[in-house]
Amino acid sequence: MDFNLINFSTGNVKQPESDQTPQHVKVLILGSGPAGLAAALYAARAELHPIVLTGTEFGGQVSLTYTVENYPGFPDGIGGSQLIELFQKQAEKFGAVIEFDRATGVDLTKRPFVIQTDNRTISADSLIITTGATPRYLDIPGERELTGRGVSYCATCDGWFFKEKDVVVVGGGDSALEEGLFLTRYAKSVTIIHRRDSLRAGAILQNRAMNHPKIRFIWNTVVTEVVGEDAVKTIKIKNVITNEVSDHKTDGVFIFIGHSPNTQLFEGKLEMSQDRYLIVDHLMKTSVPGVFAAGEVGDSHFKQVITSAGMGAAAAISANHFLEQEEI
Ligand SMILES: Cc1cc2nc3c(=O)[nH]c(=O)nc-3n(C[C@H](O)[C@H](O)[C@H](O)COP(=O)(O)OP(=O)(O)OC[C@H]3O[C@@H](n4cnc5c(N)ncnc54)[C@H](O)[C@@H]3O)c2cc1C
């Protein structure tokens, strides 16, 4: 992908000049989601003059969402990209420099660490990785257009909007069933659509879901289109055995077919779990001293703005302690 061709939504972030001279920083932050921008705020207030590389998605996943109602301090909710703009402003106010650039390679074998980007080389005394995770998409017509308008990847975030509504859940693993069960607190009905005739989820979850009065299943079926203008109205579904296509009326589509942590850059360089999340301790330390990680890149469990931002703040505090101990 040609990074320079990407059209970013904000004009306020610095575009770095192509430059071969390595720039040195005390703290480099990879990622501009809630974790990265919270880390930037804390590192900037500690006068560590951090640089944040945004990656290709300024603001991260939350910038895709229409309204965030579970971030404290905003009793009436706030738009995802508006919230990110406030994070950005606050970090920049204390001197964080946010640049549209993307890390393409890292050398963590010695300090300072060397980070190759699309535009240049940066050396850093400490590194905070907040490259997040990407929900797996169905990649069907209507999905992106209606994200935040009925299509969701987070029941904790959006379940509340579907009080007494009919929703579908796509997927057959643990998270599909867990989130489906969670949605029964609000929704009138939850239809789980799975492409096979049996579930991958654990037996206890399966029993709970199968016996829940609000949950029903549609088997051997895939969703081929999400239809609606300002909100989801119907989905098109196809039975993979008979190839029969039909319309299914619904108010919401929750897609839980997995999340992929953005950790490809760190393969073989940092310890990872089996499902490729970075392993961090309670101080956000990774397996390499001086390298910290925060947010969804190391968290397959909580996956929220507030938890990611909290970890970002913690990572910056830890980076500060590390630099003090190293007398840098
Ligand atoms: C549609 C949707 C709606 C949501 N709604 C809510 C909600 O209402 N409330 C809530 O609490 N949570 C919500 N979430 C979850 C929340 O958005 C995430 O938990 C949170 O964004 C995770 O933050 P993060 O900073 O760890 O990572 P991310 O948000 O995933 O950000 C990762 C960042 O890393 C950057 N990056 C990736 N690779 C590189 C690289 N090589 N170099 C530099 N940068 C890189 C990306 O460009 C991005 O800026 C929602 C998620 C989705 C998908």
Side-chain angles (χ1 to χ4, degrees), residues 138-146 151 223-227 236:
L138 292 172
D139 273 330
I140 54 171
E143 182 184 12
R144 294 292 176 111
E145 296 84 340
L146 290 162
V151 174
V223 181
T224 56
E225 187 175 348
V226 185
V227 183
K236 291 200 180 300

Side-chain angles (χ1 to χ4, degrees), residues 27-43 50-62 84 87 98-99 101-103 106 108 115 126-134 260-266 270 277-278 280 283-286 290-299 304-305 307-317 319:
V27 180
L28 182 68
I29 299 168
L30 304 184
S32 57
L37 294 178
L41 170 64
Y42 273 69
I51 287 186
V52 177
L53 304 186
T54 59
T56 53
E57 192 176 52
F58 176 69
Q61 297 170 61
V62 71
I84 283 299
F87 273 38
I98 300 171
E99 293 185 353
D101 204 352
R102 178 186 62 144
V106 293
L108 308 178
I115 293 84
S126 67
L127 184 65
I128 301 179
I129 300 168
T130 67
T131 48
T134 309
S260 311
N262 300 319
T263 51
Q264 302 84 330
L265 272 183
F266 314 107
L270 293 172
Y277 285 84
L278 294 184
V280 288
L283 297 175
M284 305 293 123
K285 292 180 184 176
T286 67
V291 180
F292 303 86
E296 285 199 20
V297 73
D299 163 35
Q304 295 293 292
V305 175
T307 50
S308 301
M311 291 178 211
I317 294 170

